[in-house]
Amino acid sequence: YGFQAQPMGFPGGFAVPPVQNQPAMGGAIWMPIPPSIPNCPPGLEYLTQQIDQILIHQQLELLEIVTGFETNNRYEIKNALGQRVYFAAEDTDCLTRNCCGPSRPFTIRIIDNLGREVITLQRPLRCSSCCCPCCLQELEIQAPPGTTVGYVVQNWHACLPKFTIQDEKRMDMLKIIGPCIVCRCCEDVNFEVKSVDETCAVGRISKQWTGFVREAFTDADNFGISFPMDLDVKMKAVMIGACFLI
């Protein structure tokens, strides 16, 4: 995933980068490592440090641009200061990527700056069409891997993309409502995050317009996520998962 493992005694064989918070791996500056917090899943401490906005930038893949051959997607997850909080990488096989396209099942592994896998996103093969209400999209969020902290479930609607954010017990926590037309020219596409009764706005997930050339010739997207600063850290992780599902 772009990390250089060093044998320094950390679990999994990963190590702290030799110089903390300095430009590395293509010039990225990592967010400072936060202290451990009681009752917080390991690795999610980054989301508790006065964070109310996350930026997700998909990396351009030259092979994919030139040949049209679908490769594993990779993403930088940054805070509002532009510091890298996490690095995310898709883990699917070649046949699945190129046969199933955007509807493919996937696993996305989210890594912190210690090289630890702190969040795992798993999506089974599902349909997103309103014509198949019994087989709509669903995403499971685990933090740490193996421990479920929430789900994102698509809700049937004739014309709007709608999702429900659930906790680990399948209790509805938030709703996500997108626009009828999700492809727009020269402007962002916003998915509103609301309370369960859909009366109160809580946050937003936005697909950002990246320019004519990038939009026309690549499928690399940039997204922004905003949420309340005091939102439960597990729900912040689930909202990151919702962004990947969208």
Side-chain angles (χ1 to χ4, degrees), residues 7 9 11 15 23 54 65 67 77-78 92 101 113-114 131 134 151-152 154 160 163 170 174 176 181 217:
I54 288 289
I65 296 172
T67 66
I77 302 176
K78 301 179 179 181
T92 57
N113 65 4
L114 294 178
C131 298
C134 62
Y151 301 87
V152 183
Q154 183 183 3
L160 295 179
F163 303 87
R170 293 280 188 173
L174 297 168
I176 301 175
I181 300 176
F217 294 101

Side-chain angles (χ1 to χ4, degrees), residues 12 15 30 40 49 62 90 103 108 115 128 156 189 195 197 203 208 229:
W30 282 91
C40 177
Q49 284 195 344
L62 183 59
E90 179 185 2
S103 298
I108 291 180
S128 59
W156 185 90
V189 179
S195 57
D197 58 8
Q208 300 167 346
M229 201 169 291

Side-chain angles (χ1 to χ4, degrees), residues 70-87:
E70 186 72 26
T71 59
N72 274 321
N73 293 327
R74 300 188 298 170
Y75 308 84
E76 288 184 294
I77 302 176
K78 301 179 179 181
N79 60 19
L81 299 177
Q83 298 170 324
R84 185 186 285 177
V85 183
Y86 300 115
F87 185 85

